[in-house]
Short mmCIF file of all heavy atoms in Angstrom, two decimals:
data_model
loop_
_atom_site.label_atom_id
_atom_site.label_comp_id
_atom_site.label_asym_id
_atom_site.label_seq_id
_atom_site.Cartn_x
_atom_site.Cartn_y
_atom_site.Cartn_z
N GLY A 169 3.14 5.80 -12.59
CA GLY A 169 2.53 6.47 -13.71
C GLY A 169 1.16 7.00 -13.36
O GLY A 169 0.48 6.49 -12.46
N ASP A 170 0.75 8.04 -14.07
CA ASP A 170 -0.54 8.68 -13.78
C ASP A 170 -1.73 7.79 -14.11
O ASP A 170 -2.79 7.92 -13.51
CB ASP A 170 -0.66 9.99 -14.56
CG ASP A 170 0.34 11.03 -14.10
OD1 ASP A 170 0.79 10.96 -12.95
OD2 ASP A 170 0.65 11.94 -14.91
N SER A 171 -1.58 6.89 -15.05
CA SER A 171 -2.71 6.12 -15.54
C SER A 171 -3.29 5.16 -14.52
O SER A 171 -4.48 4.84 -14.60
CB SER A 171 -2.32 5.36 -16.82
OG SER A 171 -1.30 4.42 -16.54
N VAL A 172 -2.49 4.70 -13.58
CA VAL A 172 -2.98 3.68 -12.64
C VAL A 172 -3.63 4.28 -11.40
O VAL A 172 -4.18 3.55 -10.58
CB VAL A 172 -1.85 2.72 -12.23
CG1 VAL A 172 -1.31 2.01 -13.46
CG2 VAL A 172 -0.74 3.46 -11.50
N GLN A 173 -3.55 5.59 -11.23
CA GLN A 173 -4.27 6.31 -10.17
C GLN A 173 -4.01 5.75 -8.78
O GLN A 173 -4.91 5.67 -7.95
CB GLN A 173 -5.76 6.32 -10.48
CG GLN A 173 -6.12 6.92 -11.83
CD GLN A 173 -7.59 6.81 -12.14
OE1 GLN A 173 -8.41 6.57 -11.26
NE2 GLN A 173 -7.95 7.01 -13.40
N GLY A 174 -2.76 5.35 -8.51
CA GLY A 174 -2.40 4.87 -7.19
C GLY A 174 -2.82 3.46 -6.88
O GLY A 174 -2.60 2.99 -5.76
N ARG A 175 -3.40 2.74 -7.82
CA ARG A 175 -3.88 1.39 -7.57
C ARG A 175 -2.78 0.33 -7.66
O ARG A 175 -2.98 -0.78 -7.17
CB ARG A 175 -4.99 1.03 -8.56
CG ARG A 175 -6.24 1.90 -8.41
CD ARG A 175 -7.30 1.53 -9.46
NE ARG A 175 -6.85 1.83 -10.82
CZ ARG A 175 -6.65 0.91 -11.75
NH1 ARG A 175 -6.87 -0.38 -11.49
NH2 ARG A 175 -6.24 1.27 -12.96
N PHE A 176 -1.67 0.67 -8.27
CA PHE A 176 -0.58 -0.29 -8.47
C PHE A 176 0.61 0.12 -7.62
O PHE A 176 0.93 1.30 -7.49
CB PHE A 176 -0.15 -0.33 -9.93
CG PHE A 176 -1.19 -0.85 -10.89
CD1 PHE A 176 -2.45 -1.23 -10.45
CD2 PHE A 176 -0.90 -0.95 -12.24
CE1 PHE A 176 -3.41 -1.71 -11.34
CE2 PHE A 176 -1.84 -1.42 -13.14
CZ PHE A 176 -3.09 -1.80 -12.69
N THR A 177 1.30 -0.87 -7.06
CA THR A 177 2.45 -0.64 -6.21
C THR A 177 3.59 -1.55 -6.62
O THR A 177 3.41 -2.77 -6.72
CB THR A 177 2.12 -0.86 -4.73
OG1 THR A 177 1.03 -0.02 -4.33
CG2 THR A 177 3.34 -0.55 -3.86
N ILE A 178 4.76 -0.97 -6.84
CA ILE A 178 5.94 -1.75 -7.19
C ILE A 178 6.77 -1.99 -5.93
O ILE A 178 6.83 -1.14 -5.04
CB ILE A 178 6.77 -1.05 -8.28
CG1 ILE A 178 7.82 -1.99 -8.86
CG2 ILE A 178 7.40 0.23 -7.75
CD1 ILE A 178 8.52 -1.44 -10.09
N SER A 179 7.41 -3.14 -5.86
CA SER A 179 8.27 -3.45 -4.73
C SER A 179 9.35 -4.41 -5.19
O SER A 179 9.24 -5.05 -6.25
CB SER A 179 7.49 -4.04 -3.56
OG SER A 179 6.86 -5.26 -3.93
N GLN A 180 10.40 -4.53 -4.39
CA GLN A 180 11.52 -5.39 -4.71
C GLN A 180 11.66 -6.48 -3.66
O GLN A 180 11.52 -6.22 -2.47
CB GLN A 180 12.81 -4.58 -4.79
CG GLN A 180 14.01 -5.36 -5.29
CD GLN A 180 15.25 -4.49 -5.42
OE1 GLN A 180 15.30 -3.39 -4.87
NE2 GLN A 180 16.24 -4.97 -6.14
N GLY A 181 11.94 -7.70 -4.11
CA GLY A 181 12.15 -8.79 -3.20
C GLY A 181 13.48 -8.69 -2.50
O GLY A 181 14.38 -7.96 -2.92
N ASN A 182 13.61 -9.45 -1.40
CA ASN A 182 14.86 -9.43 -0.64
C ASN A 182 16.04 -9.95 -1.45
O ASN A 182 17.17 -9.53 -1.20
CB ASN A 182 14.70 -10.26 0.63
CG ASN A 182 13.77 -9.61 1.65
OD1 ASN A 182 13.60 -8.40 1.66
ND2 ASN A 182 13.17 -10.43 2.50
N ALA A 183 15.78 -10.84 -2.38
CA ALA A 183 16.85 -11.35 -3.22
C ALA A 183 17.38 -10.32 -4.20
O ALA A 183 18.45 -10.50 -4.76
CB ALA A 183 16.37 -12.59 -3.98
N LYS A 184 16.63 -9.26 -4.42
CA LYS A 184 17.01 -8.13 -5.26
C LYS A 184 17.15 -8.48 -6.73
O LYS A 184 17.62 -7.66 -7.51
CB LYS A 184 18.28 -7.46 -4.74
CG LYS A 184 18.14 -6.89 -3.34
CD LYS A 184 19.31 -6.01 -2.98
CE LYS A 184 19.18 -5.50 -1.56
NZ LYS A 184 17.97 -4.68 -1.36
N ASN A 185 16.75 -9.67 -7.10
CA ASN A 185 16.64 -10.02 -8.50
C ASN A 185 15.19 -10.24 -8.90
O ASN A 185 14.91 -10.79 -9.97
CB ASN A 185 17.48 -11.25 -8.83
CG ASN A 185 16.97 -12.50 -8.16
OD1 ASN A 185 16.25 -12.44 -7.16
ND2 ASN A 185 17.32 -13.66 -8.71
N THR A 186 14.28 -9.82 -8.05
CA THR A 186 12.86 -9.97 -8.28
C THR A 186 12.14 -8.67 -7.94
O THR A 186 12.44 -8.04 -6.93
CB THR A 186 12.27 -11.11 -7.42
OG1 THR A 186 12.96 -12.34 -7.71
CG2 THR A 186 10.79 -11.29 -7.72
N VAL A 187 11.22 -8.29 -8.79
CA VAL A 187 10.40 -7.12 -8.54
C VAL A 187 8.94 -7.50 -8.74
O VAL A 187 8.62 -8.37 -9.56
CB VAL A 187 10.81 -5.94 -9.47
CG1 VAL A 187 10.48 -6.25 -10.93
CG2 VAL A 187 10.15 -4.65 -9.02
N TYR A 188 8.07 -6.88 -7.95
CA TYR A 188 6.66 -7.21 -7.97
C TYR A 188 5.83 -6.00 -8.36
O TYR A 188 6.24 -4.86 -8.19
CB TYR A 188 6.19 -7.69 -6.59
CG TYR A 188 6.99 -8.84 -6.04
CD1 TYR A 188 7.99 -8.63 -5.10
CD2 TYR A 188 6.73 -10.14 -6.45
CE1 TYR A 188 8.72 -9.69 -4.59
CE2 TYR A 188 7.46 -11.20 -5.94
CZ TYR A 188 8.45 -10.97 -5.01
OH TYR A 188 9.16 -12.02 -4.51
N LEU A 189 4.65 -6.27 -8.88
CA LEU A 189 3.66 -5.24 -9.11
C LEU A 189 2.34 -5.71 -8.51
O LEU A 189 1.72 -6.64 -9.03
CB LEU A 189 3.48 -4.94 -10.60
CG LEU A 189 2.53 -3.79 -10.92
CD1 LEU A 189 3.14 -2.46 -10.47
CD2 LEU A 189 2.19 -3.74 -12.39
N GLN A 190 1.95 -5.10 -7.40
CA GLN A 190 0.67 -5.39 -6.78
C GLN A 190 -0.39 -4.52 -7.43
O GLN A 190 -0.29 -3.30 -7.40
CB GLN A 190 0.73 -5.13 -5.28
CG GLN A 190 -0.58 -5.38 -4.55
CD GLN A 190 -0.98 -6.83 -4.55
OE1 GLN A 190 -0.15 -7.70 -4.30
NE2 GLN A 190 -2.24 -7.11 -4.85
N MET A 191 -1.40 -5.15 -8.00
CA MET A 191 -2.46 -4.45 -8.71
C MET A 191 -3.78 -4.69 -8.00
O MET A 191 -4.22 -5.83 -7.88
CB MET A 191 -2.55 -4.91 -10.16
CG MET A 191 -1.22 -4.81 -10.92
SD MET A 191 -1.40 -5.17 -12.68
CE MET A 191 -1.89 -6.89 -12.60
N ASN A 192 -4.39 -3.62 -7.53
CA ASN A 192 -5.65 -3.69 -6.81
C ASN A 192 -6.73 -2.93 -7.56
O ASN A 192 -6.44 -2.08 -8.40
CB ASN A 192 -5.49 -3.11 -5.40
CG ASN A 192 -4.50 -3.85 -4.56
OD1 ASN A 192 -4.40 -5.07 -4.63
ND2 ASN A 192 -3.76 -3.13 -3.72
N SER A 193 -7.97 -3.23 -7.23
CA SER A 193 -9.13 -2.55 -7.83
C SER A 193 -9.04 -2.54 -9.34
O SER A 193 -9.21 -1.51 -10.00
CB SER A 193 -9.24 -1.12 -7.28
OG SER A 193 -9.37 -1.12 -5.88
N LEU A 194 -8.79 -3.69 -9.91
CA LEU A 194 -8.58 -3.80 -11.34
C LEU A 194 -9.85 -3.46 -12.11
O LEU A 194 -10.96 -3.77 -11.68
CB LEU A 194 -8.10 -5.19 -11.70
CG LEU A 194 -6.64 -5.46 -11.34
CD1 LEU A 194 -6.35 -6.95 -11.36
CD2 LEU A 194 -5.72 -4.73 -12.31
N LYS A 195 -9.65 -2.84 -13.25
CA LYS A 195 -10.73 -2.42 -14.13
C LYS A 195 -10.57 -3.08 -15.49
O LYS A 195 -9.46 -3.46 -15.87
CB LYS A 195 -10.72 -0.90 -14.29
CG LYS A 195 -10.76 -0.12 -12.99
CD LYS A 195 -10.60 1.37 -13.24
CE LYS A 195 -10.61 2.15 -11.94
NZ LYS A 195 -10.43 3.60 -12.17
N PRO A 196 -11.66 -3.21 -16.24
CA PRO A 196 -11.53 -3.80 -17.58
C PRO A 196 -10.50 -3.08 -18.45
O PRO A 196 -9.83 -3.74 -19.26
CB PRO A 196 -12.95 -3.66 -18.16
CG PRO A 196 -13.83 -3.71 -16.96
CD PRO A 196 -13.07 -2.97 -15.89
N GLU A 197 -10.35 -1.79 -18.30
CA GLU A 197 -9.38 -1.05 -19.08
C GLU A 197 -7.93 -1.36 -18.71
O GLU A 197 -7.01 -0.90 -19.38
CB GLU A 197 -9.63 0.46 -19.00
CG GLU A 197 -9.78 0.97 -17.58
CD GLU A 197 -11.23 1.12 -17.16
OE1 GLU A 197 -12.03 0.19 -17.41
OE2 GLU A 197 -11.59 2.17 -16.59
#
């Protein structure tokens, strides 16, 4: 999405029943 400005990354675990969201440079908003 445009709102996160490239700071968030989604990925899937090897088990394929798990998904992650890595969030960097977090802001109060």
Side-chain angles (χ1 to χ4, degrees):
D170 293 336
S171 63
V172 300
Q173 303 176 16
R175 297 178 295 116
F176 295 1
T177 303
I178 192 171
S179 62
Q180 187 177 16
N182 290 334
K184 298 191 183 299
N185 66 339
T186 302
V187 67
Y188 305 100
L189 185 69
Q190 179 66 45
M191 305 187 296
N192 298 323
S193 301
L194 286 164
K195 305 174 181 179
E197 50 262 46

